[in-house]
Each structure stands twice: as C-alpha cells, then as structure tokens.
Amino acid sequence: NPTNFYNYHRKRRKVEERWTSGNFSQTVLDGHTEGVYAIKLMKDPSSKSFKLVSGSGDGTVRWWNVNFKRSEIEFDEKPDEREDYTVTSKILNRKSVVNCIDCNRINDEDIVACGSISGSINVMRISDDGELMGAYETFNAGGEFVKIIFSPLDPLSLFTACKFDPKIKLWDVENCKKISEISTNAIIKCMAPSFGTFGECLVVGNMKGLSIADYRMNRMALNFDGGVVWNLCTSFDEKCQTKGGATHDDSQIFYVEKGQMKRLDLRYPNPSEFGPALESSLSEKVTTMNYQSCLNRLVTITYIGNITYYDTCKEGDSKISSLRYTNLVFTSQFFGAKLLFGSYDSSIQLWDFGIK
C-alpha cells in the first residue's frame, strides 16, 4: 500500500531526526530507592498506555501503569518541561534483589517470574490493575541468573541460565521441579529466544561464541565459535514482547563479539554468513541492547550510559547517532519510538522520540 509505505518512512525519518538532535520527551518513573536491574514490558501494550514490571537492588518488584496523556506528541523547544504520561506503580514483592524478569499471559492474568541474585525464582499472578492475585511456591534454580525466559511450549515452564554454568535448565513452575537441561559448550553469558529453520529456539552467547539450542528436541543445534559473546538480542524476542507470534522473518540475531557489533540470520538451513559488522570498534562494554523490527533499528547502551542508534539495513558501519545518560544503565527495552531503561540512580527513564 503506497500510503502505508509513505507513512512508515515519514515516521522513521522523524524518529531519526529526533535521535540525531536529541529532541525527545522524557518521563522519569520514580519509586525504587536503589539501582534498577531488570524491566519487562507486559505483552500487548496499547498505543495509549502500557504496563511493565521492574526489579531493583532495594529488594522490591514494582508494577507500573503508564498512561499516555496526548493523542500525538508535538515536540516544542523545551520537551523536557512537559509531562506526556501519567504514571502509577505498586509494590508486588519485598523479598530479595531481582536481576531477571520475564512475563507471560494466562487467561486474564499476567504471570511474572522474578529471578534473584541468590538463585531463587518467585512467580506471581497479577491482575490487569496490578493486584497480586497469588503466587507459586518459591524455588531455587542454582545461582545468580543471566536470563530467565518463559517457554512457548508451556506457559508455566521457565528456561533459566545461571552465571558460571554451561547448562540451560527448564523448570516446572507449578511443581517447583526441573524438567530437563541442555548442555552448551561453554559458560553462558546471555540468552534470548529466536526462530530458525527448525522452529522456535534459544540463542545463547557464551565464552566461545554463539550457540543455538533446539529446545523441542532438547539438544544443541548449532555452534559458532569465535569469541566471548557478552550480549545479544533477537527480532523474535521483540515481536513476542509486543505482538505475539512469529514468522521466518523474525530470525535475526544481533550480538557483541570481539569488540564488534555483529548479526546472524537463522532463516537459512546452514547459517554461516555473519555479514558485515554494524560497528567494528566498540570501546565500551554493551550492557543492554534491543531491536525494533518496525523501524529496522537497533539500540545499544553501554555500562556508562552511552546510547547508540543503528540502521540495521546498512552494510558496514551503520551508526546513526549517539546520546548520553549521566549514570550507569543496567537494563532496557525499545518499542515503537520509545526507549525504556533502568539505571543505577534508581530511576526508570522513558524517552519518547516519536509520534502516535
């Protein structure tokens, strides 16, 4: 549709102009009293509001409802002085420091899994208005978590990856027991869901490179040895978070290896072409990264708060612009033209670069 094509490129151009000029609407979500280590959007956020859950060093898990106040953002000379959102929050839990969160949806309830640095997992049932409806028994899954991910095969099964452990473990949340495990070829550093020629899978970054786990067959499917992969994200993860469902187009992987921002496409039976690096000389550790398929754009944030915006359609060095936050950043999510990230200063920042 020519009209849709025009509107898509118009929106993307405006978003990039605002990234380049640093002209965005800023909303601060205050409530935590120590660093925010994990945030997760609830599924199916609407265009006018969205919900998220956050975990902090203060030992609390918070539920947030963020309502959009305007029908369209019209940027003026002083966007930081406006409030475009109203924010409410509730404390769900006061147990231990949470560094990993994932969310699922069953019937009319959100299922929130929280992984703590002590190795315990707490799974809660949350109503649409943020009320705690109940919780499953807390259980210990081994050690400090790298990542926890709900399984698409069963809404109450959970994949976990722990520090200093080369194994991916699948847990039955209802019965607090381990179902199975998959051994990778090295200690795991990061993990995300993806989609390959053999269906849904898990992409693992470890001390040797990238590994692809086929969890339906309970085996490692592919290994790409190269160097330590410290962080990664996938197009499949972004699609599931905002809309649900997956297609063969949702199979791109972006990752950091040997100081380079690289990508891999799992649409092919034997993916071996990594393509040119999006950036060839990263000088800082990337702590969090997110891909937005509707814009074909990637956002990375380093430990000290440098935020970089990439055009993933370009070959070679594809950096569009860079911004800076004044504190350490631990976690982020990028959806539409909105960037959410949690910081050491105890705040959750919402930066909006777009229009409705």
Side-chain angles (χ1 to χ4, degrees):
N1 186 313
T3 302
N4 290 342
F5 182 79
Y6 170 78
N7 289 335
Y8 163 75
H9 283 280
R10 174 181 172 271
K11 177 180 179 180
R12 192 168 72 176
R13 186 176 65 252
K14 286 183 176 292
V15 169
E16 289 179 2
E17 288 173 356
R18 288 159 185 166
W19 268 95
T20 304
S21 64
N23 185 16
F24 56 86
S25 170
Q26 182 180 18
T27 302
V28 181
L29 281 61
D30 284 323
H32 288 296
T33 57
E34 293 188 27
V36 178
Y37 298 125
I39 57 174
K40 193 70 176 181
L41 282 172
M42 300 294 191
K43 288 188 176 180
D44 300 319
S46 70
S47 59
K48 291 188 177 181
S49 66
F50 59 90
K51 297 174 290 181
L52 69 144
V53 178
S54 61
S56 167
D58 61 13
T60 65
V61 176
R62 279 185 175 268
W63 175 92
W64 305 81
N65 186 31
V66 184
N67 287 295
F68 192 46
K69 291 170 64 175
R70 299 171 178 230
S71 60
E72 182 173 338
I73 297 178
E74 293 294 345
F75 290 95
D76 52 28
E77 294 299 320
K78 298 180 180 180
D80 291 343
E81 295 182 2
R82 290 204 324 269
E83 293 184 358
D84 293 307
Y85 297 90
T86 57
V87 180
T88 57
S89 72
K90 298 178 181 180
I91 295 177
L92 300 177
N93 192 315
R94 291 182 182 272
K95 289 193 174 181
S96 60
V97 176
V98 170
N99 69 332
C100 287
I101 292 177
D102 199 19
C103 302
N104 211 345
R105 183 81 176 175
I106 300 179
N107 299 324
D108 295 325
E109 294 179 339
D110 289 307
I111 308 299
V112 178
C114 304
S116 72
I117 60 172
S118 64
S120 64
I121 292 179
N122 184 41
V123 183
M124 298 171 285
R125 296 168 32 238
I126 311 298
S127 68
D128 284 336
D129 58 357
E131 295 299 326
L132 181 62
M133 305 301 292
Y136 297 96
E137 184 178 347
T138 301
F139 62 97
N140 194 288
E144 183 176 347
F145 294 103
V146 172
K147 188 77 172 181
I148 60 175
I149 300 172
F150 274 109
S151 170
L153 303 180
D154 182 346
L156 287 176
S157 294
L158 193 69
F159 290 108
T160 64
C162 296
K163 284 187 175 180
F164 312 114
D165 190 347
K167 296 177 181 179
I168 302 169
K169 298 175 183 178
L170 179 63
W171 299 86
D172 178 350
V173 170
E174 284 187 295
N175 298 305
C176 302
K177 67 177 183 180
K178 185 171 68 176
I179 300 172
S180 62
E181 62 182 39
I182 304 173
S183 293
T184 68
N185 62 348
I187 292 173
I188 297 171
K189 292 295 182 182
C190 48
M191 181 172 69
S194 190
F195 196 85
T197 55
F198 41 78
E200 294 168 353
C201 57
L202 292 173
V203 182
V204 177
N206 56 40
M207 294 294 291
K208 292 184 177 180
L210 276 179
S211 296
I212 313 298
D214 180 359
Y215 53 76
R216 293 178 183 271
M217 300 300 293
N218 199 39
R219 66 185 178 92
M220 294 306 299
L222 297 167
N223 288 304
F224 301 95
D225 292 343
V228 180
V229 174
W230 293 100
N231 217 315
L232 63 84
C233 66
T234 68
S235 51
F236 178 74
D237 191 23
E238 176 266 337
K239 176 65 75 67
C240 287
Q241 188 60 46
T242 56
K243 299 176 182 177
T247 69
H248 281 281
D249 291 331
D250 305 316
S251 54
Q252 294 190 74
I253 302 166
F254 302 90
Y255 62 102
V256 178
E257 180 185 73
K258 293 182 177 179
Q260 295 186 325
M261 182 68 62
K262 296 183 176 181
R263 58 183 152 196
L264 176 65
D265 197 324
L266 292 181
R267 284 178 291 185
Y268 308 106
N270 297 300
S272 58
E273 294 296 327
F274 288 76
L278 297 176
E279 186 172 351
S280 57
S281 57
L282 291 167
S283 58
E284 302 166 8
K285 182 180 178 181
V286 174
T287 55
T288 178
M289 52 196 295
N290 295 270
Y291 175 69
Q292 179 56 261
S293 61
C294 71
L295 297 173
N296 290 314
R297 296 296 183 262
L298 177 74
V299 173
T300 66
I301 307 180
T302 66
Y303 186 69
I304 61 173
N306 286 325
I307 304 169
T308 306
Y309 192 54
Y310 294 94
D311 179 355
T312 60
C313 295
K314 287 184 179 179
E315 294 189 357
D317 196 341
S318 57
K319 185 190 301 183
I320 296 174
S321 64
S322 296
L323 298 171
R324 178 70 187 271
Y325 187 63
T326 56
N327 217 310
L328 307 182
V329 175
F330 301 120
T331 181
S332 69
Q333 287 211 239
F334 180 40
F335 63 106
K338 302 175 182 64
L339 177 65
L340 274 164
F341 58 91
S343 171
Y344 180 75
D345 62 13
S346 79
S347 72
I348 300 173
Q349 296 285 325
L350 169 57
W351 291 6
D352 196 329
F353 295 85
I355 59 176
K356 179 185 174 185

